[in-house]
Amino acid sequence: MEEGAPPSGAPRHRPARSRLFRPRTRVDWFLTVIRVAVLIVLAVGFTAFIAQEINPDNPFARWANPDATGLTGAQFRGLVISGIAQGSMYGLIALGYSMVYGVLGFINFAHGEVFMVGAMTGMITSNKLADAGLWESNFIGSLVFIVVVSIIVSSLTAVVMERVAYRPLRGAPRLIPLITSIGVSFFLQNASVVLLGPASKSYPNVPDWVKAKHTFLQIEGAKILVIVVAALSMAALWYYVDRTKTGKAMRAVAEDAEIAALMGIDVNRTIVKVFAVGGAMAGMAGILWGILFRSVIHTTGFLPGIKAFSAAVVGGIGHLGGAMAGGLSIGVAESVGPLLILEPLGVSGVSQLRDAVAFSMLIIVLLVRPAGLFGERLPAEDRA
């Protein structure tokens, strides 16, 4: 017998390479069929849109949807810019989901209500400033003030939420804090109804230059404000997490909380800071939402919160850059997708299908790349 060969009768292990080529199951084939069907629908819809843009009377366009009107260049540009503005807000909310998941490994479904608290705080503060005559006379100063107030209130809400609802459950099974977060979400919604009433609340009128269109692209001032503030917030968060001592502590706790504690990092304090920073991003998004849409209600945080969670999954849960990229992807998809893909296929009522397109984007990404566009960043216990 050759030296190093296994003894006779001993089981022979298959090479590592052979284990990679497992037989395809029925589920694998089903998912493959779904992927191909989705790609066919997207290809046919986009081809029909191009055909209609070139010549609305060509046979293919008339067969797909003879009533489709197509899009002008200005309309398409407006839809993309609107999608980027709304996606920027989704991205800011998604940052909180990703940060909490990266550290604690669970989804805080009450984070959308933190966004609602920020929007409500901005509404109350801006109306008080308008009553005092400061909103119109000094809009920039008033905006900075309500941003600071909203960030403080949203951060405090997130910190109290962590201390009261989540910290006592830190060692519990994952399902328990998940259900608790849903309960906290309903509590905050109903608290808003009790304190402010069920009717929708409006922000005061913004100055004319915020409503007017600027630059050669003819972008509304409010959308420029949203995009610029979201970009600056993302840059500030990147610097905070990547360059500061506290940010390094957050990344260490996200990597392995037990090892981080042995290295002298206060894990509880770091987790509180994660919730505070995530709440600040949600509060910022709430202010931008109020400036852009000028109306908030106690359920304002529900649907944007769900879409922001979808954005975090699309980008790669736990990845901060992925959260913002996912938000932009969903925002642009729900703005452009109905008229770019669905209307050319003859689907009626496409303006009511924005939400369906947004969640279809999530399904498509999960079918093609289950870990998200940038891949997941999981805690140590989830990687084991």
Side-chain angles (χ1 to χ4, degrees), residues 130-194:
D131 292 340
L134 297 174
W135 181 255
E136 293 184 0
S137 62
N138 188 6
F139 177 74
I140 297 297
S142 298
L143 183 61
V144 172
F145 180 74
I146 67 171
V147 165
V148 171
V149 173
S150 179
I151 285 177
I152 291 174
V153 174
S154 298
S155 296
L156 286 176
T157 302
V159 168
V160 172
M161 183 191 306
E162 188 276 334
R163 185 66 184 87
V164 174
Y166 300 146
R167 188 177 298 185
L169 303 175
R170 192 162 302 165
R174 294 283 176 81
L175 186 60
I176 295 177
L178 180 65
I179 296 174
T180 301
S181 70
I182 298 175
V184 172
S185 173
F186 284 119
F187 172 80
L188 290 175
Q189 286 185 20
N190 286 277
S192 174
V193 172
V194 171

Side-chain angles (χ1 to χ4, degrees), residues 136-340:
E136 293 184 0
S137 62
N138 188 6
F139 177 74
I140 297 297
S142 298
L143 183 61
V144 172
F145 180 74
I146 67 171
V147 165
V148 171
V149 173
S150 179
I151 285 177
I152 291 174
V153 174
S154 298
S155 296
L156 286 176
T157 302
V159 168
V160 172
M161 183 191 306
E162 188 276 334
R163 185 66 184 87
V164 174
Y166 300 146
R167 188 177 298 185
L169 303 175
R170 192 162 302 165
R174 294 283 176 81
L175 186 60
I176 295 177
L178 180 65
I179 296 174
T180 301
S181 70
I182 298 175
V184 172
S185 173
F186 284 119
F187 172 80
L188 290 175
Q189 286 185 20
N190 286 277
S192 174
V193 172
V194 171
L195 295 175
L196 302 173
S200 62
K201 311 296 186 299
S202 298
Y203 275 63
N205 288 324
V206 295
D208 291 337
W209 66 266
V210 178
K211 301 176 185 178
K213 295 184 178 181
H214 304 275
T215 75
F216 69 96
L217 295 175
Q218 293 297 293
I219 308 175
E220 293 179 17
K223 293 177 181 177
I224 295 176
L225 183 65
V226 168
I227 295 170
V228 170
V229 172
L232 292 176
S233 300
M234 181 62 193
L237 180 63
W238 170 82
Y239 180 84
Y240 181 77
V241 172
D242 199 66
R243 300 297 183 185
T244 66
K245 185 177 180 180
T246 303
K248 292 177 182 178
M250 290 179 182
R251 287 186 283 126
V253 173
E255 184 70 22
D256 195 313
E258 293 183 2
I259 299 298
L262 293 175
M263 297 298 291
I265 296 174
D266 190 330
V267 174
N268 285 332
R269 181 178 297 178
T270 302
I271 291 174
V272 167
K273 292 178 181 178
V274 168
F275 272 85
V277 173
M281 293 295 105
M284 179 69 74
I287 292 295
L288 298 178
W289 186 277
I291 295 296
L292 190 59
F293 297 109
R294 297 187 49 247
S295 179
V296 292
I297 195 171
H298 64 280
T299 56
T300 291
F302 176 73
L303 193 56
I306 297 298
K307 289 183 181 178
F309 167 65
S310 302
V313 175
V314 166
I317 194 72
H319 194 291
L320 298 185
M324 184 58 75
L328 292 173
S329 300
I330 286 184
V332 173
E334 74 172 15
S335 179
V336 177
L339 294 175
L340 191 69

Side-chain angles (χ1 to χ4, degrees), residues 1 69 76-77 93 155 161 197 232 250 264 351 374:
M1 182 171 58
T69 58
F76 182 77
R77 182 175 65 246
I93 306 170
S155 296
M161 183 191 306
L232 292 176
M250 290 179 182
S351 60
F374 291 82

